[in-house]
Amino acid sequence: MQLIPAPAGVLEVDALWQQDNPKDANTDTVALLCHPNPLFEGTMNNKVVTTMYRFARDSGMHVVRFNFRGVGQSTGEHDYADGEVVDAMTVLQWIAEQTNARKLWLGGFSFGGYVIARVAEQIMVSPHIWGLSDFEIANVALIAPSVEKNATDDLSLPIEKTFEIYGNEDNVVAPASMQEFAERLGLPVSIVDGAGHFFHGRLSELKGLLEGHSFGSKDSH
């Protein structure tokens, strides 16, 4: 765990480097993970985020998760996604200084799913503004993304690299809303039958779906 400088003060970052070496020559991909809504006790240690963390680690990626502003040791106040996108881009700028890996696996859960979608958009549309033009998106994983309370009408995503996973018994974000979002953008979807928002008892299944969707393997399950 470490604290890095950020617009709202500092951000608490947990980075796992393959071979304990951010410059590891055999690692070309780094995963950035975003956690659920801090207003509902969301942190980077959330079980779904931890499942993505383990998937990325076991797939041979560097992995970085962090606490949004106002969470844990990160300073500042919740900013209803706008500031949190800046937080994530700040962490990406820090990642760029640490490692030569330039392929990005972007994963977000719930509120973090919306934030990571906006991060992917920034990398697609205006990476030069952030000094991140040499990054290439490998995948964007949207896990039960918060698409009801956040505006998605103008969202641009790398459709062929993006996928969505949700449970059909989600009681936080309506499954119909997530399905409509995916259909509107043309995203592949995996629906976990009987799973709620937090995938209780279904995390190993979720990890398997992450493996199935990532790195160009686009079969819907």
Side-chain angles (χ1 to χ4, degrees):
M1 252 15 119
Q2 61 195 109
L3 301 178
I4 67 169
V10 295
L11 290 170
E12 184 180 10
V13 173
D14 173 21
L16 177 143
W17 307 114
Q18 293 290 339
Q19 310 301 323
D20 292 323
N21 178 13
K23 306 287 190 187
D24 177 50
N26 295 316
T27 305
D28 63 0
T29 305
V30 57
L32 176 69
L33 310 178
C34 287
H35 69 71
N37 198 323
L39 298 182
F40 302 97
E41 301 183 350
T43 77
M44 66 176 169
N45 295 315
N46 166 272
K47 288 182 179 179
V48 173
V49 176
T50 299
T51 299
M52 288 191 285
Y53 182 92
R54 289 172 177 159
F55 154 75
R57 176 198 66 197
D58 296 348
S59 298
M61 296 182 238
H62 298 314
V63 196
V64 179
R65 57 183 170 180
F66 68 99
N67 277 328
F68 288 130
R69 57 185 63 194
V71 179
Q73 295 184 58
S74 296
T75 57
E77 296 180 0
H78 182 66
D79 194 32
Y80 300 92
D82 290 343
E84 284 75 11
V85 171
V86 173
D87 291 344
M89 299 306 293
T90 300
V91 174
L92 270 180
Q93 290 172 325
W94 176 81
I95 288 170
E97 295 170 356
Q98 308 302 310
T99 179
N100 300 320
R102 287 298 181 265
K103 292 182 182 176
L104 283 177
W105 192 95
L106 301 173
F109 169 48
S110 197
F111 171 79
Y114 176 74
V115 172
I116 210 72
R118 288 293 183 190
V119 168
E121 180 178 55
Q122 291 295 316
I123 295 295
M124 274 184 65
V125 176
S126 51
H128 53 283
I129 292 175
W130 305 93
L132 298 172
S133 297
D134 54 347
F135 274 116
E136 173 193 349
I137 294 175
N139 284 115
V140 183
L142 306 178
I143 313 301
S146 180
V147 295
E148 293 180 312
K149 296 177 181 176
N150 298 287
T152 62
D153 292 346
D154 62 342
L155 186 63
S156 295
L157 285 171
I159 300 303
E160 70 284 357
K161 297 175 180 178
T162 304
F163 60 90
E164 182 182 64
I165 301 172
Y166 67 86
N168 65 355
E169 294 188 11
D170 195 313
N171 60 350
V172 175
V173 185
S177 297
M178 291 186 281
Q179 188 64 33
E180 186 278 330
F181 168 76
E183 290 176 357
R184 177 161 51 86
L185 289 175
L187 302 179
V189 179
S190 285
I191 302 168
V192 182
D193 190 38
H197 189 64
F198 294 97
F199 296 89
H200 291 309
R202 311 298 289 276
L203 293 171
S204 60
E205 196 173 336
L206 174 60
K207 188 167 184 270
L209 289 172
L210 293 171
E211 292 163 358
H213 274 291
S214 296
F215 307 117
S217 163
K218 296 315 258 184
D219 298 332
S220 238
H221 298 262

